Amino acid sequence: MSTNGYPPAQNTPGAAPAARGGNGIAIGSLVLGIVGVVFSFLFVWIGLIAGIVGLVLGFLARRRAVGSRGMVLSGIILSAIAIVLSIIFIIIAIAIVVPAVSNN
């Protein structure tokens, strides 16, 4: 085998070491934030629960520094918006239902 005047290539490793995983927490926070915002209009309790879980996952991802910073921040912001919207719609529902029930 001829090397054309160059030294032979060194042996290359089979595979690079696995990158530090954990991006799933950031993705979960973002997805639950989106789901929370959508469901806060339709099913308030599901939106509230998704928002709370998304917020917790967002803070966990931020503390562990996993995932992209923008994805984590988006998940936290969307989850907080989902919680606020859910609470607003719960208050509106109570303000409408209580007077309607007390009139009978």
Side-chain angles (χ1 to χ4, degrees):
M1 183 167 177
S2 173
T3 60
N4 296 329
Y6 294 104
Q10 294 185 5
N11 294 336
T12 56
R20 190 173 151 211
N23 201 20
I25 298 174
I27 293 172
S29 172
L30 181 63
V31 168
L32 285 173
I34 294 169
V35 167
V37 168
V38 171
F39 277 97
S40 66
F41 292 104
L42 303 172
F43 306 104
V44 177
W45 296 108
I46 295 175
L48 183 65
I49 292 170
I52 291 170
V53 174
L55 194 65
V56 169
L57 287 179
F59 283 124
L60 281 176
R62 186 174 171 201
R63 178 172 294 211
R64 294 182 186 175
V66 295
S68 69
R69 187 173 174 205
M71 188 182 307
V72 172
L73 190 60
S74 298
I76 290 172
I77 291 171
L78 283 173
S79 297
I81 290 172
I83 292 170
V84 169
L85 284 175
S86 296
I87 291 173
I88 288 172
F89 285 128
I90 289 171
I91 291 171
I92 290 172
I94 289 173
I96 292 172
V97 170
V98 169
V101 172
S102 64
N103 284 337
N104 292 330

